[in-house]
Amino acid sequence: MGERFDLISIGGGSGGLAAAQRAARHGVRCAVVEAGRLGGTCVNVGCVPKKVMWHAADIAHCMEYAPGYGFDCGNVTFDWPTIKLARDGYVTRLNGIYGRSLEQNGVQLIRGRARLEGPHAVVVGGEQFEADHLVIATGSYPTIPQLPGAEHGITSDGFFELEQLPRRVAVVGAGYIAVELGGMLNALGAQVSMLLRHSQFLRGFDAVLRETLMEDMLRDGVNILPRTQVRSVERQADGSLCIACDGATEILHVDVLLWAVGRAPLTAEMGLESAGIELSRDGAIVTDDYQNTNVQGVYALGDVTDRVPLTPVAIAAGRRLADRLFGAQPDRHLDYRNVPSVIFSHPPIGSIGLSEDEARDQHGSAVTVYQSRFTPLFYGPLEHKRRACVKLVCVGPQERIVGCHVVGLGADEMLQGFAVAIRMGATKRDFDDTVAIHPTSAEEMVTLR
């Protein structure tokens, strides 16, 4: 019999770390199994380094606006290696912080890849460990399509390995990763083409969000190619790539091809079948509302499941699971409704709840929509202005707010407070009765008519 724990988290990303550390604070013996850098996708090749690059791109936009505010910035240049070095150093420091946090909480770190040997045993590097409770939080990985030459492209992981800013980039995809990385690269000086399978990106988001963002990205010089699919990719003698497409542009020549076509759960070669754990058709672990799998004592959370793939969601689910198992809170679990999210595009997008289309599908004529398009004050003295938009989707005679959507300067920061109100059941009257903070973009949310 191997070393025994009360709980073992398989995966040292946001969800696995949150579950193990919260459980340890409840006084039980815990371990985390991780082969790579602590922090998972978010810290190493996701949210954190992405936001650093978003800030760099935002500064580039501010340089464009600076003359309108009286600043003569002269010959401003951007050096990719400088921000890469600083960004990577920051991530390394975070890796260390996570490691020290495990030590401080008494959580044992087991280095290596885990394989299940039944529902309560894990083998790592030939050594077996046992636990009453196993939490699978291995995350997901970016996928590459099966077509000739696809291996010449990079994924979002590869974006963070780039040593220099590429001159010409093709971004294939229509989700939030595609618009975020495409917008950053464009702002920092690359010539960006976005290849969309359908006519628009961000399907599933409210129409006003994707339409406003598309207008701004086109205005910023991003070459958006709708209804375009890659047929094949060839590496040229000079190192560039030739992309053959079905669509508006038959041939595209770029220096970097970035695949942003989706992510898949990391469940292969883990021995899940030996424990009898149920998987969905796409390989995700199936769970109930309490993170239980179909096997007693085995749980899954984060991107390895088919739930909302956001870091704070994994953290919240992990902490609530530990509270339920060890904190005498038997009903504690994450409510996946009304999860706020932000897209770090240029301009940023914030969204919570139902889109207008979803609300009308569910509630029909009971839906009332309030919307405002406006120019944020920041652009007031500038020649080239950008529009912003806020939208509330309400239901019933009390006009309970079931959707809140905003795109424009500051959207990423303003949504959090409104998300609290909406989770508490706020109505349009509650927003109307709130005194506006002037002059801000956020005041538009409480002055809609």
Side-chain angles (χ1 to χ4, degrees), residues 57-78:
D58 196 41
I59 290 172
H61 278 298
C62 286
M63 292 297 181
E64 297 176 20
Y65 309 138
Y69 272 90
F71 290 91
D72 181 1
C73 298
N75 184 27
V76 177
T77 60
F78 169 70

Side-chain angles (χ1 to χ4, degrees), residues 120-436:
H120 299 289
V122 176
V123 174
V124 184
E127 187 175 359
Q128 181 170 301
F129 304 89
E130 297 184 352
D132 296 326
H133 303 278
L134 293 180
V135 178
I136 303 173
T138 47
S140 62
Y141 64 94
T143 59
I144 292 178
Q146 298 296 312
L147 54 84
E151 69 278 5
H152 295 308
I154 64 172
T155 64
S156 54
D157 288 2
F159 169 83
F160 296 108
E161 297 174 3
L162 291 172
E163 297 293 339
Q164 297 288 341
L165 173 68
R167 186 167 62 90
R168 301 167 300 174
V169 182
V171 178
V172 182
Y176 72 93
I177 293 175
V179 299
E180 287 179 339
L181 298 186
M184 290 175 204
L185 287 163
N186 174 73
L188 294 173
Q191 299 173 21
V192 177
S193 295
M194 292 190 64
L195 282 60
L196 314 182
R197 177 178 296 182
H198 301 287
S199 59
Q200 290 185 317
F201 46 52
L202 299 181
R203 297 176 71 200
F205 283 83
D206 195 272
V208 73
L209 301 180
R210 58 177 184 261
E211 290 167 3
T212 302
L213 179 60
M214 185 169 281
E215 290 171 6
D216 274 355
M217 292 186 76
L218 286 169
R219 190 180 300 116
D220 286 339
V222 177
N223 182 26
I224 299 178
L225 304 173
R227 302 193 181 280
T228 301
Q229 296 192 57
V230 177
R231 215 170 44 240
S232 63
V233 184
E234 289 186 8
R235 175 79 68 184
Q236 305 298 293
D238 63 357
S240 65
L241 300 176
C242 177
I243 306 175
C245 305
D246 293 324
T249 300
E250 255 184 64
I251 300 292
L252 201 61
H253 295 277
V254 298
D255 302 301
V256 168
L257 164 62
L258 198 158
W259 297 112
V261 293
R263 298 180 66 87
L266 269 166
T267 52
E269 300 180 1
M270 285 186 59
L272 300 183
E273 63 282 354
S274 71
I277 296 171
E278 181 184 359
L279 303 179
S280 66
R281 285 196 301 175
D282 63 357
I285 298 176
V286 177
T287 63
D288 65 12
D289 290 341
Y290 290 79
Q291 310 304 145
N292 298 310
T293 69
N294 63 307
V295 177
Q296 186 173 0
V298 181
Y299 319 90
L301 51 86
D303 293 5
V304 77
T305 69
D306 54 2
R307 301 286 189 169
V308 182
L310 296 172
T311 294
V313 169
I315 293 171
R319 289 174 177 168
R320 285 160 174 75
L321 174 62
D323 289 342
R324 178 170 70 84
L325 296 178
F326 306 109
Q329 301 176 56
D331 292 324
R332 184 76 162 146
H333 69 286
L334 178 61
D335 182 352
Y336 285 90
R337 295 172 300 177
N338 282 330
V339 172
S341 63
V342 163
I343 299 174
F344 289 102
S345 47
H346 294 273
I349 284 173
S351 181
I352 181 172
L354 302 178
S355 68
E356 179 179 348
D357 289 343
E358 289 171 334
R360 294 196 186 283
D361 286 344
Q362 293 183 28
H363 302 284
S365 60
V367 173
T368 306
V369 172
Y370 298 88
Q371 180 174 308
S372 172
R373 289 181 65 90
F374 60 96
T375 300
L377 187 146
F378 175 83
Y379 301 106
L382 303 178
E383 182 180 352
H384 300 291
K385 306 184 190 305
R386 290 177 182 266
R387 301 279 280 172
C389 183
V390 299
K391 183 174 187 176
L392 295 179
V393 181
C394 307
V395 168
Q398 299 300 316
E399 294 192 318
R400 179 173 60 89
I401 300 171
V402 297
C404 175
H405 313 285
V406 55
V407 54
L409 195 65
D412 50 322
E413 294 292 349
M414 75 171 72
L415 184 70
Q416 188 73 76
F418 290 112
V420 174
I422 290 167
R423 277 195 64 86
M424 294 177 69
T427 65
K428 178 65 165 54
R429 179 66 178 269
D430 293 325
F431 274 38
D432 293 344
D433 286 346
T434 301
V435 176

